[in-house]
Structure formats: structure tokens, C-alpha cells
């Protein structure tokens, strides 16, 4: 069987790591099985959907490297949903209801106060044609509910294992709103069925939808796809994500300097039995991927883990792979040797700015033993410098001052860089100007 999966965001906000995870898992599943991946815009909620977000979502996916083979937009397919609507009405599975939001909420309250589940009582099914005409004459417009079969719906979930649902314990879902627009429960099934989606992999918040949707696939004459529902992760404090949670949107992470592969490396492994390790390419993640590795526990998305992973990724990145970013940051003079020497000290690529100014700009250095620094200054070798210069110099300083180990190296490091830690001076020194070094040793 050829695999066809989809990522189906609603363009009502920017993507956050939770959405990106759904996209990534589907993309990896497709690539692992030599299948295809569709990006579908679930944009039938016209009040909240915006073209601006549609564009932004595509931009975020491109940044992550998750290219799509097929693109679909639900508002381009409204006639398909109409046809499904007519079919369902004809076979008696879709019925008009006239209750207002207030009436429904009163009904739910009254059921709850009797200790009964807030399941819609299907009163609309008891309306006669005359009742309906009368309601419509009063200006009421119907919304439409799908009549669930009173049977058990069961499926073998790719992540949760066997799942069972009693049809009678759920409300008949609304498929069409009073404004004549279809709701996701229907549109998704029509698309997944017609476009022949083979596996629906999404968050566990959709399990109840799946129960109704399985019946809907059948009512529309489709074989239901296979389903997999992964547990949603929470943020570091244990709270859920919301699309409106601005600070953790992909665009913000990206602006902060998070590498796409750092996020991918984390999202591909959260909630699985695999260790979270830096991966430089999506191909490596495809290698590791297995939908059966996802467990039932609720993983935490911690930005500190992401930051650590970002640093690890950067420490592995070749000069070639960062050159474009360096130029964008305005550092077109940075050489391969400079990159290799400072790379182990960076958390973000943009941190090169700091080490660049250590080598070429103005920095503050602490006050130190003047006598010692003066001797070091006098012994500073002439250029050209190479990787042997640092040890040649420090050996001479050691002989002249009798200092060794930390007492020898730390004051020199502080004098040259203003920092207690940093790149290997054997590598950094030859990247600095001799006049700059003399200036620092005279400060
Ligand atoms: N538009 C739905 C959502 O964003 C898609 C869920 C699904 O994958 O079916 O939650």
C-alpha cells in the first residue's frame, strides 16, 4: 500500500512547536514509507482563517525543511462538502436542528444537574415538517447534525493500540453551521476519503472526533484510514500549548536563533523511546523514525532542552552550512578557521558577534598583575602567527616568570579576551591582530 498522509492546520495563527510536531511526524512517516505528504489548509472557519497565516505556515514549514507533495485548501472544495451534505441528508444521517446556543447550553446544564452526560437528546428528530416551517418562518436557520449509529466504534490505533467508543455516549456532531459552512468533522473526512489519505496521524485531542469520523467515512462510502493519536506535550510548567501562545511560535524561536534542525531533532524524539540527540539532517531523522516508538506518556517541551540542542547542533555545523547565515548577520569576513575556533563556544550562530569583537573590536579586560602582563607583552612573538605561536609564547612567559598552569594561562586569557573561558587560544591567537593583542596587554 502506498502511504499518503497530511498535515492539516487551520490558518488561524502562527505555528507553535506542538503543530510543528504533528507536521514533522507525518512528514517523517511519509518519507520513511516512500509515501507522499500533503499540506492541507483547514480554513472553513472563515471568521478566524486568514491568508496571512496560510502564507506564514508555509514559510515555517519551508524553514523546517518539510516540503509537501500535494497542497489542498478546504475553501476550494466547498462543492465537495455540499455533495456529501446532500448524500447524508438523502440517506437520513444528517438532520436539521434549530436550537440556539443558549438553549443548548441550558439543556447541557440541566442534564449535568441530573448527573447525566451532556449528550444532545435529538429533540430535533421529533420535529414535524410543519414545526420546521414554523421555526424557519420565525427566522431560525438550521444547523445540521450527523446521526451517530448506536454501535461500538473500534480501531487499532497506531500509537494507542485498540480503542473502543460507544456511539450512544456522544452527541451527534454538528457538520454544518447555521451560516451554511461545513465543520471540520465533515470536511476532513470528505478530503481524507476523496484524496485517499491512508494514515491520519494527529494529536490525542482528536480521539473523540475519530470515533464520529469513522462512522462518517462509512456513511460516505469510504474505507476509514488507519489512525494514530500521539499524546500532546505540555510546556515546561506542565501546561498545554495554544496557537496564540506567541512567545513559543516558530517565528519567534527562529528570530531568537534556534536552528531548524535543533527543533526537528527535539520534536522527532519527544515522547518516543529514542534518546534526544543532535541530528544535522532530516534524512538522519527518517532513519531513526518509527511510529511504534511513540509512547503513551505526556512529554514536556522544555525550551532549555531546545537551547542545549541548538548549541550541540551548532558545534557540529560545517563552515559551508553556516556561511549563508554568517553573511546575513553581516559577517562576510569570517573565515573557516575562525568559525572552527569559536564554534564550540556558541549557543546561537549570532553569538559569533561576541567572539568577532574579542578578536577585532573593543572589549573590557580586567585589571591584573601589571608586572606579569608586561613581561608577557615583551615576549609576544613577531608575526606571522600559526597554531604553534601560543605554546611558544606561553613557554617563554613560563620560563621568565616561573608561573605555570592556571596561574600562567588564565591571566593571559583574561588579558586577551576578557573572558575566563572561550575558544582554544592556540587557535584564536593567530586569528587576532598583533597590534590588537599588544593594545590589550597594555590596557
Ligand atoms: N485542522 C485540524 C486541526 O488543526 C486538523 C486535525 C487533523 O489532523 O485532522 O486540529
Amino acid at each position: 500500500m502506498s502511504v499518503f498522509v497530511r498535515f492539516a492546520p487551520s490558518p488561524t495563527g502562527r505555528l507553535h512547536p506542538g503543530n510543528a510536531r504533528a507536521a514533522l511526524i507525518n512528514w517523517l512517516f511519509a518519507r520513511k514509507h516512500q509515501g507522499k505528504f500533503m499540506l492541507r489548509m483547514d480554513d472553513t472557519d472563515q471568521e478566524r482563517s486568514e491568508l496571512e497565516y496560510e502564507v506564514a505556515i508555509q514559510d515555517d514549514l519551508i524553514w523546517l525543511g518539510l516540503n509537501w507533495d500535494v497542497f489542498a485548501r478546504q475553501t476550494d472544495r466547498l462543492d465537495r462538502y455540499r455533495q456529501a451534505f446532500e448524500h447524508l441528508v438523502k440517506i437520513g444521517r444528517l438532520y436539521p436542528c434549530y436550537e440556539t446556543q443558549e438553549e443548548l447550553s441550558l439543556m447541557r446544564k440541566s442534564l449535568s444537574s441530573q448527573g447525566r452526560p451532556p449528550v444532545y437528546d435529538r429533540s430535533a428528530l421529533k420535529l414535524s415538517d410543519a414545526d420546521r416551517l414554523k421555526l424557519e418562518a420565525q427566522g431560525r436557520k438550521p444547523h445540521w447534525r450527523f446521526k451517530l449509529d448506536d454501535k461500538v466504534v473500534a480501531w487499532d490505533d497506531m500509537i494507542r493500540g485498540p480503542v473502543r467508543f460507544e456511539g450512544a455516549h456522544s452527541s451527534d456532531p454538528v457538520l454544518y453551521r447555521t451560516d451554511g459552512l461545513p465543520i471540520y468533522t465533515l470536511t476532513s473526512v470528505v478530503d481524507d476519503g476523496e484524496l485517499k489519505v491512508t494514515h491520519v496521524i494527529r494529536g490525542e485531542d482528536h480521539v473523540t472526533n475519530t470515533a464520529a469520523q469513522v462512522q462518517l467515512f462509512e456513511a460516505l462510502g469510504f474505507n476509514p484510514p488507519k489512525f494514530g493519536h500521539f499524546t500532546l506535550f505540555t510546556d515546561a510548567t506542565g501546561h498545554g500549548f495554544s496557537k496564540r501562545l506567541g512567545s513559543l511560535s516558530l517565528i519567534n524561536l527562529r528570530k531568537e536563533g534556534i536552528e531548524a534542525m535543533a527543533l526537528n531533532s527535539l520534536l522527532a524524539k519527544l515522547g518516543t523511546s529514542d534518546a534526544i540527540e543532535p541530528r544535522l539532517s532530516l534524512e538522519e531523522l527518517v532513519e531513526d523514525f518509527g511510529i511504534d516508538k511513540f509512547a503513551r506518556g505526556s512529554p514536556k517541551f522544555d525550551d532549555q532542552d531546545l537551547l542545549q540542542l541548538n548549541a550541540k547542533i551548532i558545534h557540529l555545523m560545517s563552515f559551508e552550512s553556516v556561511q549563508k547565515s554568517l553573511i546575513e548577520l553581516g559577517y562576510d569576513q569570517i573565515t573557516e578557521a575562525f568559525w572552527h575556533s569559536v564554534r564550540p563556544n556558541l549557543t546561537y550562530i549570532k553569538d559569533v558577534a561576541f567572539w568577532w569583537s574579542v578578536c577585532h573590536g573593543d572589549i573590557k579586560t580586567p585589571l591584573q598583575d601589571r608586572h606579569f602582563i608586561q613581561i608577557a607583552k615583551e615576549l609576544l612573538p613577531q608575526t606571522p602567527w600559526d597554531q604553534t605561536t601560543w605554546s611558544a609564547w606561553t613557554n617563554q612567559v613560563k620560563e621568565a616568570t616561573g608561573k605555570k598552569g592556571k596561574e600562567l594561562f588564565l591571566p593571559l586569557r583574561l588579558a586577551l579576551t576578557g573572558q575566563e573561558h572561550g575558544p582554544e587560544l592556540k587557535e584564536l591567537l593567530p586569528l587576532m591582530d598583533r597590534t590588537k593583542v599588544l593594545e590589550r596587554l597594555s590596557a
Side-chain angles (χ1 to χ4, degrees), residues 23 29 73 106 119 130 132 138 160 168 172 201 210 230 241 266 275 300 338 373 386 398 402 405:
F29 186 84
R73 183 186 293 113
L106 275 178
V119 174
R132 278 194 285 271
Q138 291 166 11
R160 298 165 79 86
D172 289 340
I201 307 170
T210 299
F230 48 81
F241 276 86
L266 181 63
K300 272 201 171 109
F338 180 87
I373 299 291
D386 61 23
K398 179 175 162 186

Side-chain angles (χ1 to χ4, degrees), residues 6-11 19 22 26 40-43 74 184 188 192 200-203 205-206 209 213 243:
R6 83 292 193 285
F7 170 54
S10 300
N19 315 122
N26 276 284
R40 187 181 81 203
M41 290 296 162
D42 284 4
D43 62 344
Q74 292 198 321
Y184 158 79
S188 186
D192 291 341
V200 169
I201 307 170
R202 56 188 177 188
D205 49 333
H206 285 288
N209 276 335
Q213 287 180 327
K243 213 177 278 183

Side-chain angles (χ1 to χ4, degrees), residues 229-265:
H229 297 88
F230 48 81
T231 43
L232 303 180
F233 55 57
T234 61
D235 63 16
T237 64
H239 291 97
F241 276 86
S242 143
K243 213 177 278 183
R244 281 160 225 101
L245 197 75
S247 68
L248 270 179
S249 63
L250 263 58
I251 188 66
N252 282 358
L253 293 174
R254 197 165 141 185
K255 282 188 189 148
E256 176 192 330
I258 295 293
E259 297 300 309
M261 280 313 301
L263 189 58
N264 284 331
S265 298

